[in-house]
């Protein structure tokens, strides 16, 4: 139900290139750490990588076997 829809929102925002407020993530100008698990279903590593690429200076950390 509803909790899955809310949990899926980060991946949807990542694919759209927008943050939770609807702003493009490439406008983020603060130090940013993107964290995802290598087994993450809701925000898979490919989406976390895409998000990190869109945020200037972002660092990506993938947690092995987490999801």
């Amino acid at each position: 139900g509803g909790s899955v829809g809310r949990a899926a929102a980060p991946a949807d925002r990542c694919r759209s290139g927008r943050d939770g407020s609807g702003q493009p993530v490439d406008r983020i100008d603060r130090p940013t750490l993107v964290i995802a698990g290598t087994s993450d279903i809701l925000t898979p590593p490919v989406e976390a990588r895409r998000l990190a690429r869109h945020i200037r200076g972002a660092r990506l950390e993938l947690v092995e076997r987490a999801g």
Side-chain angles (χ1 to χ4, degrees):
S3 64
V4 172
R6 284 191 303 273
D12 291 341
R13 287 192 299 270
C14 181
R15 282 188 286 277
S16 72
R18 297 190 176 275
D19 69 8
S21 68
Q23 297 297 316
V25 295
D26 62 358
R27 295 181 69 186
I28 296 173
D29 63 354
R30 299 287 185 257
T32 304
L33 174 61
V34 178
I35 303 172
T38 58
S39 300
D40 198 323
I41 294 170
L42 296 175
T43 306
V46 67
E47 298 296 339
R49 286 184 188 96
R50 181 176 296 139
L51 180 60
R53 276 196 315 269
H54 283 31
I55 300 172
R56 186 176 304 119
R59 193 176 89 191
L60 172 65
E61 292 290 332
L62 293 176
V63 181
E64 291 295 321
R65 297 183 308 259

